[in-house]
C-alpha cells in the first residue's frame, strides 16, 4: 500500500465538521491524519499538490443500474464502475432489476464477483423485495442480506399490493435494512409518457400526474408508521412527496429519500420536441416541483443525491416518444449538476458534499462518507470551478443516453481514490491490470 | 422544401399565404396538373384513415404526382421494423413529400429529422392535424372573409384530439377567439397557455359562438372511465336540434368526420343549413394541394 500525502487541499468533511485547508495523510488504505498545519512527507510517500482543489469523502450513489447480468450491451459491472470512478463515486448501490433479477444469493454473488474483477470501486448490491420483481411473493431477504445486499427494492416497479408492502416493511425490521421504493401508482400513471401539465397537453402526450407518486408515498408512510420499519423513497420528483416526507421525519418516522440530479435541474419543458433523452420514470416535473426539490435539498428533507444511472442503447431512444425507454445515465454528470446548485448559491459546498457522500453512507449504513482518521481512504479530489462540456461519446459508461450532451458544467473530478489507491486521475482510469 | 409538422411554428402571414394558395386550387381554378408532374408523394399511414388518405391522394394526383400508398396493415412494421427503418426505405424511393399518419404524437417530427424530403403530418396521436385545421380555417374564411373577432367553440374530447390542438393554434393565429368546452376529464391542463378559454357549461357559451366545431367521441372513453355513458355525454355536450335553436342565427357547425350521429351531433343539425361539413371535405382537397405544393417546392 502506498502512502499518500495530499497537501493544501480544501478538505470538506461534513460528518466531522471540517471545512478548511488541510494536509491529509493516507496510509494502509485508510485516512491516517488530517492536519491544519503542513505535514512532513514520509519517505516513499506520493505527494499530491491539492492547492485550490476540494478533497472530499468519495461519493456514494444509492441508485445505479449496472445491467449485468442480462443486458451487458448497455452496461456491465466493469463499465459501470469505470463511469462511477470517473464521476468521483467510490461506491455504488446496484439495483436488482437486471435480466435475471437479483432475488437470490447466486445473483448477488455474481455481481460482487464481477465487482472484485473490476477492482475499481465498491459495489453494494440491492436485493429484490419480491421474487422476479413480480410483486407477488417475498424473496428470501435473509439470504440476500447474508450474501451482501444492503437494501431491498423492486426499483423500476412499485409494490402495488399494500398488504405485501406492509409485510416487507415488517419483515425487514429484523435485519434493519431499508426498504427502497419506486413510488408510482400504476393506475394513475397508466399510458403516461411524461409529466401531466401544459407541455404534455401541447405535445398531445398522455400525462403522468404527480399524484401517481404522492399517493404512494402517503400510503407507504402510513404503513411505515404502523410497522416501525425503515423506508427509503427513491428518486423523489415532486413537491407533494417532499412535503409528506418532511412531515414524517418531523414526527420521527424512519424515512429517508434521494433526489436525482436531473429532477433538480430540468423541468418537463426539457421534453421540448419529443426528446426521448428527457424521458424517465418518474418524469421530469414542473418548475414548481424543481423549486420544491431544491428547498428540500437545502433543509435536510433529502438525505442523498442519487443518479438513477440507467444506461440504454441508441435504438431504445431513437423511436417515437411513447415507445422510448425510460432513463438516462448519470454517474459522469452528477458532480457538475450538483455543483451548479453551489455556483447558483442554492447549496453550500458543505451541504453539496454531504448529499453526495455522508448522506448516502448513513442512509444505507455503508462504510466511508467521511474522513476521520481510520476511515477508509475513499477520496474524491475535484476542481470546483473547472468548466467542461459534456460529450456523451467520451463517457466511460457503455451508454450515451443523456439530455446533458453539449452542456457546459462547472466542477470536475481530478482524482478518485478507493481504499488508498488512485483509480482515476486527470481523465484517465488507473485499472489494476 | 419545408415540413408541415404542425400549426405551431407557422406565422400568421405564412398561414394566410397557404390559404390564399388553396383558393387557387378550388375546382374551376387554373390547371395545376404540372405542379408535381413526375414526382412522387408517399402516403405513410400507420393508422387507418380512409378519409384523410383519400384526400391527400386526390390532391397529389391533381397536381400530377405519382402516389405511393403504404399502409401499416401487412407491413414489415409488425415484424419489428422501426418507424425510422420504414421511413428511410420509403425515402430511398425518392419521394418529394412523405405524408405521415401515426398513432404516436411526434412521430412525423422524428421522421422529418432523419429524412431529406419534406414531411407532412396527416395526424399524429393527440398532437396535431395541421391540414385539417387549415381546411377548417379555409372553410370559415370562405364564409366570413376574416376570422378576426369571431368566436369559435370547440366541443368535446379535447384531451385526445389532434384536431382540437391544431385548430386552437390556427384559429388563434388568424385572430379568432377560441373557447374549448367539454367534461373536465377530457380537457387537459394548460389549454389557456395555448390561447384557449375553457368551460364545462355548453349552454352558457353556445350563444356566443359564431361557429361550433364538434369533436368525434371515441367509444373507448367510456370504458376508460373518462365518461359514464354516451347518453350522458350527449345530454351534456351533444349538439341537439334544441341547442342549435339557441345558437346565433348564422352560426356554423363543423365536424372533422366521421360523425357519431346522435352522440356529439344530431343528424338533423349535421344535415341542416348550419352545417358546413361537406364543404370541409371539398375544401380539404384544395388545401392539401396547396400544402403539397408548398412543401414540395
Ligand atoms: Zn425507479
Amino acid at each position: 500500500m502506498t502512502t499518500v500525502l495530499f497537501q493544501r487541499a480544501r478538505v470538506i468533511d461534513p460528518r466531522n465538521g471540517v471545512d478548511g485547508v488541510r494536509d491529509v495523510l493516507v496510509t494502509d488504505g485508510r485516512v491516517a491524519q488530517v492536519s491544519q498545519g503542513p505535514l512532513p512527507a514520509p519517505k516513499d510517500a506520493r505527494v499530491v499538490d491539492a492547492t485550490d482543489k476540494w478533497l472530499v469523502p468519495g461519493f456514494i450513489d444509492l441508485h445505479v443500474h449496472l445491467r449485468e447480468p442480462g443486458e451487458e450491451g448497455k452496461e456491465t459491472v466493469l463499465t459501470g464502475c469505470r463511469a462511477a470512478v470517473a464521476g468521483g463515486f467510490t461506491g455504488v448501490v446496484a439495483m436488482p432489476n437486471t435480466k435475471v433479477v437479483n432475488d437470490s444469493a447466486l445473483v448477488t454473488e455474481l455481481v460482487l464477483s464481477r465487482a472484485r474483477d473490476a477492482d475499481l470501486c465498491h459495489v453494494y448490491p440491492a436485493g429484490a423485495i419480491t421474487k422476479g420483481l413480480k410483486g407477488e411473493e417475498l424473496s428470501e431477504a435473509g439470504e440476500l442480506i447474508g450474501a451482501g445486499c444492503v437494501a431491498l427494492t423492486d426499483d423500476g416497479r412499485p409494490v402495488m399490493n399494500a398488504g405485501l408492502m406492509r409485510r416487507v416493511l415488517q419483515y425487514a425490521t429484523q435485519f434493519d435494512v431499508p426498504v427502497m421504493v419506486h413510488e408510482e401508482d400504476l393506475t394513475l400513471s397508466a399510458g403516461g409518457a411524461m409529466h401531466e401539465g401544459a407541455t404534455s397537453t401541447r405535445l398531445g402526450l398522455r400525462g403522468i400526474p404527480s399524484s401517481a407518486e404522492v399517493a404512494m408515498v402517503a400510503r407507504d408512510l402510513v404503513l411505515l408508521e404502523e410497522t416501525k420499519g425503515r423506508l427509503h423513497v427513491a428518486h423523489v420528483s415532486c413537491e407533494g412527496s417532499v412535503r409528506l416526507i418532511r412531515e414524517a421525519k418531523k414526527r420521527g418516522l424512519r424515512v429517508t429519500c434521494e433526489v436525482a440530479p436531473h429532477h433538480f435541474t430540468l423541468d418537463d419543458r426539457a421534453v421540448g420536441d419529443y426528446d426521448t433523452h428527457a424521458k424517465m420514470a418518474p418524469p421530469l416535473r414542473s418548475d414548481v416541483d424543481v423549486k420544491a426539490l431544491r428547498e428540500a435539498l437545502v433543509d435536510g428533507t433529502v438525505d442523498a443525491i442519487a443518479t438513477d444511472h440507467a444506461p440504454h442503447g441508441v435504438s431504445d431512444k431513437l423511436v417515437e416518444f411513447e415507445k422510448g425507454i425510460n432513463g438516462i445515465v448519470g454517474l459522469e454528470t452528477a458532480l457538475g449538476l450538483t455543483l451548479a446548485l453551489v455556483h447558483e448559491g442554492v447549496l453550500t459546498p458543505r451541504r453539496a458534499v454531504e448529499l453526495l457522500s455522508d448522506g448516502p453512507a448513513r442512509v444505507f449504513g455503508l462504510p466511508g462518507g467521511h474522513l476521520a482518521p481510520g476511515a477508509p481512504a475513499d477520496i474524491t479530489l475535484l476542481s470546483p470551478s473547472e468548466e467542461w462540456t459534456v460529450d456523451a461519446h467520451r463517457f466511460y459508461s457503455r451508454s450515451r443516453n443523456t439530455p446533458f450532451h453539449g452542456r457546459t458544467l462547472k466542477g470536475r473530478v481530478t482524482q478518485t481514490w478507493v481504499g488508498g489507491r488512485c483509480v482515476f486521475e486527470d481523465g484517465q482510469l488507473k485499472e489494476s491490470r | 422544401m419545408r415540413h408541415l409538422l404542425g400549426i405551431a411554428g407557422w406565422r400568421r402571414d405564412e398561414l394566410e399565404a397557404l390559404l390564399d394558395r388553396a383558393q387557387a386550387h378550388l375546382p374551376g381554378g387554373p390547371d395545376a396538373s404540372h405542379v408535381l408532374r413526375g414526382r412522387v408523394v408517399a402516403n405513410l399511414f400507420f393508422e387507418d384513415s380512409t378519409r384523410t388518405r383519400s384526400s391527400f391522394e386526390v390532391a397529389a394526383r391533381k397536381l400530377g404526382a405519382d402516389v405511393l400508398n403504404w399502409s401499416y396493415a401487412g407491413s414489415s412494421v409488425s415484424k419489428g421494423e422501426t418507424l425510422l427503418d420504414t421511413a428511410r426505405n420509403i425515402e430511398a424511393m425518392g419521394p418529394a413529400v412523405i405524408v405521415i399518419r401515426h398513432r404516436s404524437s411526434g412521430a412525423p417530427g422524428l421522421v422529418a429529422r432523419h429524412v431529406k424530403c419534406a414531411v407532412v403530418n396527416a395526424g399524429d396521436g393527440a398532437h396535431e392535424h395541421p391540414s385539417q385545421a387549415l381546411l377548417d380555417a379555409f372553410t370559415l374564411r370562405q364564409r366570413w372573409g376574416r376570422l378576426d373577432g369571431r368566436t369559435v367553440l370547440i366541443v368535446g374530447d379535447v384531451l385526445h384530439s389532434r384536431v382540437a390542438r391544431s385548430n386552437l393554434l390556427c384559429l388563434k393565429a388568424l385572430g379568432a377567439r377560441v373557447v374549448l368546452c367539454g367534461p373536465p376529464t377530457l380537457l387537459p391542463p394548460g389549454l389557456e397557455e395555448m390561447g384557449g378559454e375553457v368551460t364545462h357549461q355548453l349552454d352558457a357559451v353556445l350563444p356566443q359562438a359564431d361557429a361550433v366545431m364538434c369533436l368525434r367521441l371515441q367509444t373507448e372513453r367510456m370504458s376508460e372511465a373518462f365518461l359514464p355513458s354516451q347518453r350522458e355525454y350527449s345530454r351534456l355536450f351533444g349538439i341537439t336540434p334544441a341547442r342549435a335553436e339557441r345558437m346565433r342565427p348564422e352560426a356554423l357547425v363543423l365536424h372533422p368526420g366521421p360523425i357519431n350521429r346522435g352522440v356529439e351531433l344530431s343528424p338533423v343539425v349535421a344535415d341542416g343549413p348550419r352545417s358546413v361539413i361537406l364543404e370541409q371535405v371539398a375544401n380539404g382537397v384544395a388545401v392539401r394541394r396547396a400544402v403539397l405544393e408548398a412543401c414540395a417546392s
Side-chain angles (χ1 to χ4, degrees):
Chain A
M1 276 291 168
T2 40
T3 299
V4 194
L5 176 64
F6 297 93
Q7 293 180 322
R8 294 175 296 277
R10 175 174 174 186
V11 174
I12 304 176
D13 177 7
R15 191 181 304 178
N16 298 301
V18 178
D19 182 357
V21 175
R22 301 282 190 280
D23 276 14
V24 176
L25 183 68
V26 166
T27 56
D28 299 328
R30 296 194 171 265
V31 176
Q33 212 179 337
V34 179
S35 163
Q36 293 214 21
L39 288 174
K43 203 158 80 69
D44 301 332
R46 177 174 169 191
V47 176
V48 177
D49 178 5
T51 310
D52 297 328
K53 306 261 193 320
W54 292 5
L55 188 155
V56 302
F59 305 150
I60 297 170
D61 192 339
L62 297 178
H63 196 148
V64 168
H65 297 274
L66 294 178
R67 304 288 184 224
E68 189 175 3
E71 291 183 293
E72 290 82 358
K74 296 183 174 186
E75 196 81 285
T76 62
V77 174
L78 175 63
T79 59
C81 287
R82 286 175 177 159
V85 299
F89 290 91
T90 57
V92 296
V93 177
M95 293 297 109
N97 64 338
T98 38
K99 297 271 162 80
V100 181
V101 170
N102 185 6
D103 59 3
S104 72
L106 215 64
V107 181
T108 306
E109 281 158 13
L110 175 105
V111 172
L112 286 172
S113 132
R114 290 283 189 274
R116 272 193 303 276
D117 293 346
D119 195 20
L120 282 168
C121 66
H122 308 289
V123 174
Y124 306 105
I129 293 173
T130 62
K131 288 178 188 156
L133 303 178
K134 290 203 179 88
E136 292 161 5
E137 298 168 77
L138 294 182
S139 48
E140 293 179 1
E143 173 181 303
L144 287 166
I145 291 156
C149 286
V150 298
L152 298 173
T153 181
D154 273 3
D155 181 57
R157 299 178 185 206
V159 178
M160 279 298 285
N161 181 328
L164 191 140
M165 185 63 201
R166 186 170 184 272
R167 294 273 149 68
V168 72
L169 282 167
Q170 279 177 328
Y171 192 76
T173 55
Q174 66 183 311
F175 311 111
D176 199 35
V177 294
V179 177
M180 176 177 182
V181 280
H182 168 123
E183 300 293 44
E184 177 182 352
D185 184 318
L186 298 173
T187 66
L188 289 168
S189 64
M194 66 174 295
H195 175 63
E196 179 180 276
T199 304
S200 67
T201 294
R202 177 174 67 79
L203 295 176
L205 292 168
R206 178 82 65 100
I208 300 170
S210 300
S211 57
E213 178 178 307
V214 184
M216 289 290 271
V217 170
R219 182 200 77 173
D220 288 346
L221 289 172
V222 169
L223 298 174
L224 179 69
E225 179 152 29
E226 215 167 52
T227 55
K228 311 266 184 297
R230 269 175 76 184
L231 182 75
H232 177 71
V233 185
H235 44 51
V236 166
S237 73
C238 53
E239 186 195 15
S241 303
V242 294
R243 198 167 16 150
L244 291 175
I245 292 165
R246 182 180 292 131
E247 229 168 63
K249 282 189 161 185
K250 266 195 200 129
R251 289 192 295 123
L253 269 57
R254 298 178 77 193
V255 58
T256 53
C257 73
E258 68 188 34
V259 166
H262 47 269
H263 285 129
F264 65 65
T265 304
L266 302 173
D267 62 38
D268 59 340
R269 287 171 294 188
V271 173
D273 198 9
Y274 304 96
D275 183 359
T276 49
H277 284 129
K279 189 177 181 194
M280 55 275 287
L284 297 173
R285 299 287 184 187
S286 72
D287 53 344
V288 174
D289 294 306
V290 172
K291 200 164 153 273
L293 294 180
R294 289 173 170 216
E295 283 164 11
L297 286 165
V298 173
D299 74 12
T301 304
V302 176
D303 300 273
I305 288 172
T307 65
D308 193 3
H309 179 80
H312 288 299
V314 173
S315 59
D316 295 314
K317 290 288 188 183
L318 202 56
V319 290
E320 300 89 305
F321 192 85
E322 287 162 333
K323 275 197 188 166
I325 294 189
N326 286 317
I328 64 168
V329 291
L331 287 166
E332 293 168 77
T333 49
L335 171 68
L337 295 171
T338 303
L339 286 185
L341 295 188
V342 174
H343 296 303
E344 285 173 45
V346 176
L347 292 181
T348 61
R350 177 180 168 158
R351 179 70 182 140
V353 170
E354 183 174 47
L355 284 161
L356 286 166
S357 58
D358 184 30
R362 283 172 188 272
V363 169
F364 282 8
L366 304 173
H370 76 116
L371 299 171
D378 295 345
I379 289 169
T380 302
L381 198 65
L382 59 98
S383 296
S385 299
E386 186 185 330
E387 290 197 358
W388 62 288
T389 301
V390 179
D391 180 355
H393 306 290
R394 301 183 65 177
F395 280 166
Y396 284 100
S397 168
R398 189 162 275 181
S399 293
R400 276 93 191 80
N401 50 310
T402 174
F404 299 112
H405 178 71
R407 182 181 282 230
T408 298
L409 297 177
K410 222 164 122 185
R412 187 164 210 181
V413 176
T414 52
Q415 291 178 1
T416 307
W417 293 72
V418 176
R421 192 180 110 226
C422 186
V423 290
F424 180 80
E425 182 174 6
D426 296 329
Q428 298 296 318
L429 291 169
K430 305 275 169 195
E431 299 191 60
S432 53
R433 264 153 292 114
Chain B
M1 184 276 291
R2 180 168 182 189
H3 306 300
L4 179 65
L5 300 174
I7 299 297
W10 287 69
R11 292 193 318 264
R12 176 174 184 157
D13 59 317
E14 294 168 335
L15 293 171
E16 279 178 342
L18 213 50
L19 296 178
D20 291 342
R21 280 303 303 167
Q23 196 71 33
H25 286 293
L26 281 175
D31 176 48
S33 61
H34 59 280
V35 171
L36 291 183
R37 185 169 298 143
R39 303 182 72 185
V40 174
V41 171
N43 279 330
L44 256 72
F45 276 58
F46 292 84
E47 185 182 72
D48 291 334
S49 171
T50 313
R51 279 167 190 256
T52 305
R53 191 182 50 71
S54 308
S55 182
F56 271 108
E57 186 170 350
V58 171
R61 290 201 197 284
K62 286 197 171 173
L63 297 174
D66 294 320
V67 178
L68 189 164
N69 278 321
W70 181 98
S71 72
Y72 178 85
S75 77
S76 46
V77 172
S78 41
K79 295 167 196 139
E81 189 177 78
T82 69
L83 169 62
L84 287 182
D85 289 338
T86 308
R88 284 172 176 145
N89 270 292
I90 298 290
E91 185 196 16
M93 298 175 200
V97 183
I98 299 181
V99 179
I100 298 182
R101 160 70 68 104
H102 201 286
R103 61 184 72 250
S104 283
S105 300
L110 177 65
V111 171
R113 283 193 290 277
H114 290 90
V115 298
K116 287 179 206 76
C117 60
V119 172
V120 171
N121 179 1
D124 61 331
H127 176 222
E128 284 226 41
H129 192 353
S131 62
Q132 177 72 42
L134 287 167
L135 75 87
D136 289 338
F138 185 85
T139 305
L140 294 174
R141 224 174 61 147
Q142 227 172 16
R143 292 295 187 109
W144 299 339
R146 297 173 63 81
L147 271 59
D148 297 87
R150 299 282 186 164
T151 295
V152 180
L153 180 59
I154 301 179
V155 184
D157 181 1
V158 176
L159 176 63
H160 299 97
S161 175
R162 50 194 169 219
V163 172
R165 282 172 183 73
S166 280
N167 262 302
L168 170 54
L169 294 169
C170 189
L171 296 168
K172 283 300 290 182
L174 296 173
R177 171 185 173 223
V178 179
V179 182
L180 302 138
C181 180
T185 46
L186 294 175
L187 291 176
L191 290 169
E192 292 87 352
E193 292 177 30
M194 294 174 74
E197 294 168 44
V198 171
T199 177
H200 314 301
Q201 311 302 327
L202 178 59
D203 290 314
V205 287
L206 206 54
Q208 303 169 16
D210 295 297
V212 177
M213 196 174 273
C214 299
L215 301 174
R216 182 179 160 78
L217 184 73
Q218 307 286 339
T219 49
E220 57 262 35
R221 302 309 167 217
M222 271 61 74
S223 57
E224 294 167 314
F226 286 103
L227 295 170
S229 68
Q230 280 196 359
R231 180 166 166 265
E232 171 145 322
Y233 177 82
S234 186
R235 217 155 50 86
L236 294 172
F237 300 101
I239 303 299
T240 58
R243 284 211 169 94
E245 294 269 300
R246 290 201 298 277
M247 288 165 60
R248 287 184 182 172
E250 311 79 16
L252 305 173
V253 170
L254 297 89
H255 193 295
I259 306 169
N260 294 304
R261 288 179 174 258
V263 182
E264 67 264 3
L265 190 55
S266 109
V268 180
V269 185
D271 304 329
R274 297 178 178 286
S275 171
V276 291
I277 294 170
L278 291 177
E279 291 168 50
Q280 287 175 271
V281 178
N283 289 335
V285 174
V287 165
R288 287 176 175 126
R289 284 168 69 175
V291 166
L292 292 174
E293 184 187 21
C295 291
S297 62

